[in-house]
Amino acid sequence: MGQLLNEPVRAEHDPAGRLTAYEWRGSRYAVDEVLKTYGTAQEGRVYRVRVTGAEGVAVAELGRDQDNWRLRHIFSA
């Protein structure tokens, strides 16, 4: 079961614009893999990603609306 958060995060990107990491509550999480992307630029995109942080591996769902990113859900992997 996932935990609903809907909290803002600071996203990091590589030069090609791909999501590489995000910072949440003072911790940094590296994006290992984008598992799924859905939505449109007008409605807002959602990215389901596998991440690695200090606590280990998890699956997170990030929402993007223009340049604003939010951590929507986090699931234990």
Side-chain angles (χ1 to χ4, degrees):
M1 199 70 179
Q3 180 181 8
L4 175 63
L5 298 165
N6 200 28
E7 295 183 16
V9 296
R10 188 181 66 76
E12 298 176 17
H13 305 87
D14 66 10
R18 290 181 295 253
L19 179 65
T20 57
Y22 66 89
E23 203 172 290
W24 174 61
R25 294 185 180 177
S27 295
R28 185 175 182 278
Y29 297 86
V31 173
D32 302 324
E33 178 182 5
V34 175
L35 303 172
K36 184 177 183 177
T37 303
Y38 52 97
T40 65
Q42 293 80 16
E43 298 171 344
R45 290 204 185 276
V46 176
Y47 298 79
R48 187 165 290 173
V49 295
R50 178 173 288 122
V51 297
T52 302
E55 297 83 24
V57 177
V59 173
E61 195 171 83
L62 301 169
R64 179 181 186 184
D65 183 15
Q66 297 176 2
D67 287 334
N68 300 313
W69 287 84
R70 298 185 81 73
L71 177 60
R72 295 168 38 127
H73 293 88
I74 191 153
F75 308 90
S76 51

